[in-house]
Amino acid sequence: VSTLTGNSEWNHYTKEETKGIAISKIFKANDKKLWIGKLDNGFMRIEKNKANKHEFKHFTKENKNLCYNTITFLSEDSEHNIWLGTFGGGVMYYNVKTDLIRCFTIKDGLPSNNVVGVLADKYDNIWCSTSDGIGLLFKNSSKFSVFNESSDFQTNYNFFASYKMPSGELLFGSQKGITIIHPDSVFQ
């Protein structure tokens, strides 16, 4: 990982400092902190300290009890919580204020533990694209609703193929095309 300073100088960070090299997703949260998902060793947060140097905070299965270390996707809800898709371990919720991590898997109704996209709609419901359809976790719920071929949704969603439009629609790309979800229409 490298950063460019205001003085046009590059700071380079080694794989020892970042504790892994297989970067899967870089996400800038509303508080300007960078979150980095790694395919080989959890995720990390980068922020500047008082001396204007970058500090790395690492979150791994070993030091934070993550449900899984293979991170495929990161996003943020309106309360600034971080949601992480994993490949094999479901989806994780990280409450930044309390430092709490909660894991959701197929035991909670998620269609698959292979989560390749996670988006929050304007109601703070969480939508997860997976290899077996889309899971919807309503705000303040602990069980997923599933949308798959039996509900006229696609399956086999692709890595890094999800996007929230400024208008609020959610887009998920699969091997067969794009699924566009209009959250207002789903709840009418």
Side-chain angles (χ1 to χ4, degrees), residues 26 35 55 143 163 165:
I26 300 173
W35 295 86
E55 288 185 347
K143 290 287 182 189
Y163 179 71
M165 299 287 290

Side-chain angles (χ1 to χ4, degrees), residues 85-143:
T86 74
F87 201 75
V91 66
M92 289 184 282
Y93 158 86
Y94 174 60
N95 185 314
V96 177
K97 294 175 189 160
T98 65
D99 205 33
L100 170 80
I101 292 175
R102 169 130 190 237
C103 305
F104 296 93
T105 66
I106 57 175
K107 292 177 184 174
D108 303 297
L110 193 62
S112 168
N113 284 335
N114 297 329
V115 177
V116 294
V118 182
L119 297 174
D121 66 23
K122 67 182 183 180
Y123 304 106
D124 263 347
N125 301 309
I126 302 301
W127 298 79
C128 300
S129 56
T130 76
S131 57
D132 291 327
I134 291 181
L136 166 60
L137 181 66
F138 288 102
K139 184 175 182 171
N140 300 322
S141 177
S142 60
K143 290 287 182 189

Side-chain angles (χ1 to χ4, degrees), residues 21-180:
I21 56 172
I23 305 296
S24 59
K25 177 78 174 169
I26 300 173
F27 174 76
K28 185 176 184 180
N30 286 326
D31 64 3
K32 309 275 190 251
K33 293 176 181 155
L34 287 177
W35 295 86
I36 297 177
K38 299 181 285 179
L39 291 174
D40 59 347
N41 199 14
F43 67 104
M44 66 183 173
R45 181 180 65 215
I46 301 176
E47 58 186 303
K48 287 188 179 180
N49 63 19
K50 292 178 184 176
N52 211 26
K53 299 276 186 193
H54 288 97
E55 288 185 347
F56 297 85
K57 180 171 183 181
H58 299 277
F59 301 81
T60 65
K61 196 171 184 179
E62 295 72 31
N63 75 0
K64 281 304 234 185
N65 296 320
L66 301 187
C67 27
Y68 216 68
N69 266 342
T70 305
I71 307 300
T72 56
F73 203 87
L74 295 113
S75 65
E76 179 180 34
D77 64 24
S78 69
E79 296 176 4
H80 310 295
N81 300 305
I82 304 298
W83 290 86
L84 303 104
T86 74
F87 201 75
V91 66
M92 289 184 282
Y93 158 86
Y94 174 60
N95 185 314
V96 177
K97 294 175 189 160
T98 65
D99 205 33
L100 170 80
I101 292 175
R102 169 130 190 237
C103 305
F104 296 93
T105 66
I106 57 175
K107 292 177 184 174
D108 303 297
L110 193 62
S112 168
N113 284 335
N114 297 329
V115 177
V116 294
V118 182
L119 297 174
D121 66 23
K122 67 182 183 180
Y123 304 106
D124 263 347
N125 301 309
I126 302 301
W127 298 79
C128 300
S129 56
T130 76
S131 57
D132 291 327
I134 291 181
L136 166 60
L137 181 66
F138 288 102
K139 184 175 182 171
N140 300 322
S141 177
S142 60
K143 290 287 182 189
F144 280 83
S145 297
V146 175
F147 300 92
N148 54 24
E149 289 174 336
S150 64
S151 49
D152 292 329
F153 272 66
Q154 301 173 40
T155 57
N156 293 319
Y157 287 91
N158 294 329
F159 286 93
F160 321 118
S162 50
Y163 179 71
K164 182 177 179 180
M165 299 287 290
S167 57
E169 288 93 356
L170 308 176
L171 282 64
F172 296 97
S174 77
Q175 296 176 9
K176 296 181 181 177
I178 296 176
T179 299
I180 301 173

